């Protein structure tokens, strides 16, 4: 009788082990199907510089394109994405705080800078008094546009304010008496037809077909404003994240950046 009981228990243990192995195998196979989210032009950066390397490791990768800066994080948090690429550290930290999320960056990538573009002027020195300049009307990009115009030496901002929150009302000195036209950030490239120059976000400049190297001034992007690949906090140290990091740090990725993303500001780790 005892032998029979032990035999039945052994069968149960074996069956349980087979079920666990099958579940583990299924989970592993499912993890090979990845969905990465990004905005233009970072969706292209993923497709050309990261996806091919992940595919070599056996992943099936879909890149989902977004046209706003909210849904990529929502989709990542609820599990529709495995990672996303569109935001810098300051934006991510504010988003986490406002939405009570736990998303974390794993590596920074080359980032398209805000640039000053003009169809009228070929240099900063040519900008005339009374010129009109288009800047973004949303708080984050408005502040960045103003700081770029400040760094170009065209205006001065009040010293007591935080540049991250700067508005037109914070312009202290405007020696050329520039007139600021606030428009939707995505419409800035089109505004070049009706203004003297514009401070245009790199991603919108690329989407509009502008050559980043043709800007008469480009900002030097601080580390906290470099765009990053972001994952859920629980996934920070898993194999998928490690493989994504390895792909971005590879020579193949660096070659893609050099050939197809000229004018993008590289993060410090790529310059070392």
């Amino acid at each position: 009788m005892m032998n029979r009981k032990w035999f039945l228990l052994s069968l149960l243990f074996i069956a349980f082990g087979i079920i666990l192995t099958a579940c583990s195998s299924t989970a592993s196979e499912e993890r090979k199907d990845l969905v990465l989210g990004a905005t233009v032009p970072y969706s292209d950066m993923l497709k050309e510089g990261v996806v091919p390397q992940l595919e070599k490791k056996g992943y099936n990768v879909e890149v989902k394109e977004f046209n706003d800066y909210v849904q990529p994080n929502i989709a990542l948090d609820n599990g529709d994405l495995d990672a996303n690429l569109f935001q810098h550290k300051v934006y991510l930290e504010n988003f986490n705080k406002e939405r009570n999320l736990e998303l974390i960056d794993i590596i920074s990538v080359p980032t398209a800078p805000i640039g000053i573009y003009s169809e009228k002027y070929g240099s900063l020195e040519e900008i005339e008094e009374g010129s009109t300049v288009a800047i973004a009307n949303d708080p984050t990009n408005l502040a960045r546009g103003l700081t770029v115009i400040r760094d170009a030496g065209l205006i001065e901002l009040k010293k007591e304010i935080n540049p991250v929150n700067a508005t037109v009302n914070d312009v202290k000195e405007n020696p050329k008496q520039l007139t600021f036209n606030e428009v939707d950030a995505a419409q800035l490239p089109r505004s070049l037809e009706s203004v003297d120059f514009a401070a245009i976000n790199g991603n919108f400049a690329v989407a509009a077909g502008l050559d980043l190297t043709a800007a008469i001034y480009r900002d030097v992007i601080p580390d906290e404003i470099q765009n990053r690949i972001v994952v859920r906090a629980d996934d920070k140290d898993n194999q998928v994240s490690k493989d994504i990091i390895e792909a971005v740090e590879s020579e193949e990725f660096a070659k893609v950046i050099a050939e197809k993303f000229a004018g993008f500001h590289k993060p410090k780790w790529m310059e070392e």
Side-chain angles (χ1 to χ4, degrees):
M1 181 67 70
M2 288 295 294
N3 287 338
R4 185 180 179 186
K5 287 182 178 179
W6 282 112
F7 177 72
L8 291 174
L9 283 173
S10 298
L11 287 178
L12 286 173
F13 280 123
I14 291 171
F16 185 65
I18 292 173
I19 291 172
L20 284 178
T21 301
C23 290
S24 175
S25 175
T26 300
S28 176
E29 290 174 2
E30 289 176 351
R31 200 56 178 156
K32 287 294 184 179
D33 293 324
L34 304 180
V35 183
L36 310 180
T39 56
V40 175
Y42 301 99
S43 52
D44 294 326
M45 187 180 290
L46 289 175
K47 291 174 184 176
E48 300 186 41
V50 175
V51 171
Q53 298 182 73
L54 292 178
E55 290 177 338
K56 290 178 182 178
K57 293 178 178 291
Y59 292 99
N60 301 308
V61 188
E62 174 191 353
V63 176
K64 185 174 181 180
E65 220 165 78
F66 291 83
N67 57 14
D68 74 283
Y69 294 156
V70 175
Q71 292 308 311
N73 278 343
I74 300 300
L76 177 59
D77 180 64
N78 64 28
D80 290 338
L81 299 178
D82 295 287
N84 69 36
L85 172 56
F86 75 97
Q87 66 197 313
H88 52 65
K89 193 174 187 68
V90 175
Y91 180 87
L92 173 63
E93 290 177 346
N94 288 337
F95 199 96
N96 276 337
K97 185 177 180 180
E98 291 174 1
R99 304 269 181 156
N100 194 29
L101 302 183
E102 293 185 10
L103 306 179
I104 192 166
D105 62 287
I106 56 174
I107 191 168
S108 53
V109 301
T111 303
I114 284 184
I116 295 177
Y117 297 83
S118 176
E119 294 182 354
K120 180 178 180 180
Y121 304 126
S123 68
L124 293 175
E125 291 71 26
E126 294 178 17
I127 295 176
E128 300 171 345
E129 186 173 333
S131 293
T132 56
V133 51
I135 53 177
N137 60 7
D138 64 282
T140 300
N141 291 316
L142 168 61
R144 284 197 65 201
L146 287 171
T147 54
V148 170
I149 296 171
R150 176 202 64 186
D151 294 343
L154 297 173
I155 61 172
E156 282 296 332
L157 298 175
K158 297 174 182 176
K159 293 183 179 180
E160 63 270 21
I161 62 104
N162 184 343
V164 174
N165 302 316
T167 70
V168 172
N169 293 329
D170 296 314
V171 175
K172 180 180 180 181
E173 296 182 18
N174 184 6
K176 290 185 178 290
Q177 297 300 307
L178 302 176
T179 298
F180 297 94
N181 290 354
E182 297 182 29
V183 302
D184 182 87
Q187 299 303 315
L188 285 169
R190 187 176 297 178
S191 74
L192 285 173
E193 299 175 358
S194 56
V195 298
D196 296 310
F197 65 99
I200 304 176
N201 297 62
N203 58 317
F204 295 124
V206 172
L210 295 176
D211 180 358
L212 295 185
T213 62
I216 59 178
Y217 183 83
R218 286 181 289 163
D219 68 334
V220 177
I221 304 174
D223 182 65
E224 65 271 18
I225 304 297
Q226 289 283 160
N227 280 356
R228 288 155 155 76
I229 293 180
V230 173
V231 299
R232 291 178 292 278
D234 290 343
D235 293 335
K236 180 183 178 182
D237 298 315
N238 68 11
Q239 191 59 47
V240 172
S241 294
K242 291 177 182 178
D243 288 337
I244 290 174
I245 292 172
E246 183 178 334
V248 174
E249 291 179 337
S250 70
E251 292 183 5
E252 291 87 346
F253 182 81
K255 185 177 180 181
V256 168
I257 296 302
E259 292 179 351
K260 300 185 178 182
F261 295 89
F264 280 60
H265 185 79
K266 296 178 182 178
K268 290 181 181 179
W269 68 264
M270 287 189 77
E271 301 286 6
E272 294 173 353

